[in-house]
Amino acid sequence: MRTNYASAERKCNRNLAMCYIIYMICGSYFHKCICTSRTEEQRDFLHYRELKASEQERMEDKVIYAMDKQDEDFLERLSELNCEAAIRKTETGYQVDFQTGGFETISVVLKSNGNIWINRM
């Protein structure tokens, strides 16, 4: 049985949308950030686009708040570094790693309940 794309039900995965928000916002604290997988970036972006604007804003504020809790010296160092972001599924949710080649690296853990925390390495 063939399904017409136009009639296919579109579904938004909130966790994948949040992965895109984490990538977009946390990556903006670096001098330059690229995703290691263009396919994952585009997939997550599509889920992000399916959210209502008010929901996008609420989720973005959550990530900004978490980043703003980091000390200013750390954020200043990030602004001088380039990084590669990798998004991966874990047993309890998702994780977005920002690799800088051995300098300041952060890993943002997204639990399936929507909670996030930032690990500095």
Side-chain angles (χ1 to χ4, degrees), residues 21-84:
I21 291 169
I22 290 168
Y23 161 68
M24 177 180 61
I25 292 177
C26 294
S28 72
Y29 284 82
F30 290 88
H31 175 67
K32 181 179 180 182
C33 179
I34 59 170
C35 189
T36 57
S37 171
R38 181 89 169 126
T39 304
E40 286 180 4
E41 179 184 5
Q42 290 175 341
R43 176 201 63 193
D44 294 354
F45 173 73
L46 292 175
H47 287 279
Y48 168 76
R49 289 291 307 241
E50 290 296 315
L51 293 174
K52 293 179 180 177
S54 60
E55 188 67 12
Q56 288 175 354
E57 191 173 306
R58 186 187 68 73
M59 293 168 78
E60 290 166 2
D61 287 344
K62 187 176 190 177
V63 176
I64 292 168
Y65 177 77
M67 284 300 288
D68 284 347
K69 287 175 37 177
Q70 306 302 309
D71 66 71
E72 287 185 35
D73 290 337
F74 177 71
L75 296 177
E76 181 76 25
R77 289 190 303 273
L78 291 184
S79 71
E80 299 171 356
L81 299 172
N82 295 335
C83 75
E84 291 184 343

